[in-house]
Amino acid sequence: MDTLTRMKTFVEVVEAGGFSAAARKMGRSKALISKYVRELEDELGARLLNRTTRTLSLTEVGQGYARDATEILQRIEDLQSSVGDAHAAPRGRLKVSAPRTFGDGELGRAIMEFVVSEPEISLELHLEDRFVDLVDEGFDVAIRISTLTDSSLIARRLSSFRIAIVVSPELLAQYGRPETPEDLSGKPCVIDSNVAYRTNWPFMIDGERISVPVKGRVEVDSPNAARQAALAGLGFAIVPHLVVKDDLEAGRLIAVLEPYEPASAAIHAVYPHRRHLSGKVRSFIDFLVKWFDKKTSEGNPC
């Protein structure tokens, strides 16, 4: 009997809470399960379980071994799944979170093209501007447009996009054109609570990034809402360029401080930190990377 089988049996006993329950789950006799665990203890030269006629408990050594053995067995399972995924077409339900601003535009088209290309994939797409908890809420991947701060997640860059500072012609006539980023401190601004910089807007001066404190009486939680507030003449707004591209071309909004625009931000695909990535998630992210690379090469970046 190999060590891996004994290890798996021991973990099953711990998780089931006893030899009888583990035997029923594994479809083997209680005597055989007990024999495997005893052989494991003999092999290790240490007692893992305290046994009485009524109770079963882990020894101090057993607690550490159970924890590490569970992780090892999970890694083996992940490895086997990843090898199988590498030789099989992507399949199964893919649960994705994306910001509504991008999901309603270019990103949405890219996601739907992926689903068309993979007939074995079923999609569950959630468009919302809040940051979801990927693990607790069961998401496979999220698309985010801000800096990754959670070290338990892995991010892969999909594309860059421009940030613009915009204002309505009427408000610009009333308050005058700001000549430097610092001029915004005395003008009404629309605050987007869903971005990291909130009331400290980023700018570039001579290659150096600076922050300018701003304030205003309107606070929103999405780029589209910030655009609507700017169109209504409620303040200067900082938004992704693609959100206001049509408004700028039509003259409904005017871009200001263009020489000081912050460096291009990036769109990332984010997923939980796992040693082996599932085939459906890997295929999805690879597809998005190639899709956005093609858009950039065609001269149509975000």
Side-chain angles (χ1 to χ4, degrees):
M1 184 55 56
D2 63 276
T3 299
L4 191 61
T5 300
R6 297 184 184 116
M7 180 188 297
K8 184 176 181 180
T9 302
F10 168 70
V11 170
E12 291 286 0
V13 170
V14 172
E15 292 181 348
F19 288 97
S20 297
R24 288 193 296 271
K25 182 178 179 181
M26 299 179 71
R28 296 181 177 180
S29 70
K30 179 180 176 181
L32 184 60
I33 297 300
S34 180
K35 175 177 179 289
Y36 288 168
V37 174
R38 186 171 60 252
E39 288 177 346
L40 178 62
E41 290 178 321
D42 291 343
E43 181 181 342
L44 295 172
R47 180 175 291 276
L48 302 176
L49 294 169
N50 291 315
R51 306 168 180 84
T52 69
T53 55
R54 292 180 177 272
T55 62
L56 184 71
S57 62
L58 288 165
T59 65
E60 183 176 353
V61 173
Q63 290 176 357
Y65 187 85
R67 181 184 61 250
D68 293 343
T70 300
E71 181 179 349
I72 289 170
L73 292 171
Q74 183 61 56
R75 289 184 179 182
I76 291 173
E77 183 178 337
D78 289 346
L79 178 59
Q80 291 174 327
S81 296
S82 70
V83 172
D85 286 341
H87 296 282
R91 65 179 64 244
R93 177 168 292 276
L94 184 68
K95 188 175 180 181
V96 179
S97 171
R100 183 170 298 279
T101 302
F102 294 92
D104 286 338
E106 294 295 321
L107 178 61
R109 284 190 283 274
I111 293 173
M112 296 311 163
E113 285 188 21
F114 170 75
V115 178
V116 169
S117 70
E118 299 293 348
E120 297 298 318
I121 289 289
S122 58
L123 174 70
E124 183 179 339
L125 177 61
H126 293 250
L127 297 181
E128 48 192 336
D129 290 320
R130 72 180 179 92
F131 277 14
V132 301
D133 187 312
L134 272 72
V135 176
D136 286 350
E137 298 181 52
F139 283 95
D140 294 298
V141 62
I143 309 301
R144 292 183 176 170
I145 58 174
S146 65
T147 304
L148 179 68
T149 57
D150 189 341
S151 60
S152 67
L153 302 176
I154 300 175
R156 186 169 176 188
R157 186 179 181 280
L158 300 178
S159 178
S160 61
F161 66 91
R162 284 179 58 195
I163 298 292
I165 296 83
V166 299
V167 62
S168 68
E170 296 78 14
L171 196 75
L172 186 63
Q174 180 181 352
Y175 283 91
R177 180 181 292 272
E179 299 298 331
T180 67
E182 289 82 359
D183 292 342
L184 285 178
S185 293
K187 304 181 188 298
C189 294
V190 179
I191 309 302
D192 187 345
S193 62
N194 206 42
V195 295
Y197 42 76
R198 291 176 61 93
T199 58
N200 291 282
W201 289 3
F203 293 93
M204 299 296 293
I205 297 182
D206 296 328
E208 182 180 350
R209 185 184 176 94
I210 67 164
S211 293
V212 174
V214 298
K215 58 183 180 180
R217 64 188 183 93
V218 176
E219 182 172 316
V220 298
D221 64 356
S222 78
N224 276 325
R227 166 185 172 266
Q228 291 293 342
L231 287 169
L234 293 172
F236 292 78
I238 183 169
V239 292
H241 188 273
L242 65 89
V243 174
V244 294
K245 181 180 178 181
D246 292 342
D247 299 309
L248 293 174
E249 292 176 353
R252 292 186 293 267
L253 291 174
I254 297 172
V256 298
L257 298 172
E258 291 179 281
Y260 305 101
E261 281 184 7
S264 294
I267 306 172
H268 289 92
V270 181
Y271 54 94
H273 191 334
R274 295 195 181 107
R275 183 174 295 269
H276 301 290
L277 192 60
S278 69
K280 63 183 179 182
V281 174
R282 181 185 298 108
S283 297
F284 176 63
I285 295 175
D286 287 345
F287 181 92
L288 292 183
V289 169
K290 293 177 182 177
W291 195 91
F292 280 105
D293 283 347
K294 181 180 178 182
K295 293 287 291 184
T296 300
S297 67
E298 293 173 349
N300 296 308
C302 292

